[in-house]
Amino acid sequence: QVQLVESGGGLVLPGGSLRLSCAASGSAFSFADMGWYRQAAGKQRELVALITSGGSTKYADSVKGRFTISGDGAKNTVYLQMNSLKPEDTAAYYCKASYISGTYWGQGTQVTVSS
């Protein structure tokens, strides 16, 4: 059973930075496509960033140039570095792991960008 635990969310001023972490247990994330998604109040969940098992990355247009997804195989952890945060980045952020055997979600971490 794969478990994903997100951390690193919080309240930050506009223009500030946060780094989210997603720690995977039960299976090495190197065998999975790992993604960060977010869901703002009243909106659908959307893809923010993705890193494939081959190391390719993909970003939503709204975060290109500001967010960076990366992974640490030794720690079995995927990160989302978020810079130049905007109020519209406020949402619950979720980590998703897609293996051949199935798809798993973390419980989410809240990011609030506000002055």
Side-chain angles (χ1 to χ4, degrees):
Q1 181 71 19
V2 175
Q3 290 188 323
L4 304 174
V5 179
E6 300 102 331
S7 61
L11 174 64
V12 63
L13 293 171
S17 297
L18 283 174
R19 188 178 78 159
L20 304 183
S21 300
C22 172
S25 62
S27 184
F29 80 83
S30 59
F31 299 117
D33 293 344
M34 301 294 295
W36 283 99
Y37 290 72
R38 68 186 180 187
Q39 187 167 17
K43 295 187 177 181
Q44 290 188 326
R45 192 170 295 188
E46 62 177 359
L47 174 68
V48 176
L50 175 73
I51 184 166
T52 69
S53 57
S56 299
T57 58
K58 176 182 177 181
Y59 296 92
D61 288 343
S62 59
V63 307
K64 282 181 182 177
R66 300 188 298 122
F67 291 11
T68 303
I69 188 170
S70 63
D72 184 335
K75 296 182 178 180
N76 223 28
T77 299
V78 175
Y79 303 99
L80 184 68
Q81 178 66 44
M82 306 186 294
N83 299 327
S84 303
L85 282 161
K86 304 176 181 180
E88 51 263 44
D89 295 318
T90 295
Y93 283 70
Y94 298 88
C95 179
K96 175 185 173 182
S98 299
Y99 295 85
I100 293 175
S101 60
T103 299
Y104 304 90
W105 289 91
Q107 84 288 350
T109 185
Q110 179 68 33
V111 172
T112 302
V113 185
S114 176
S115 55

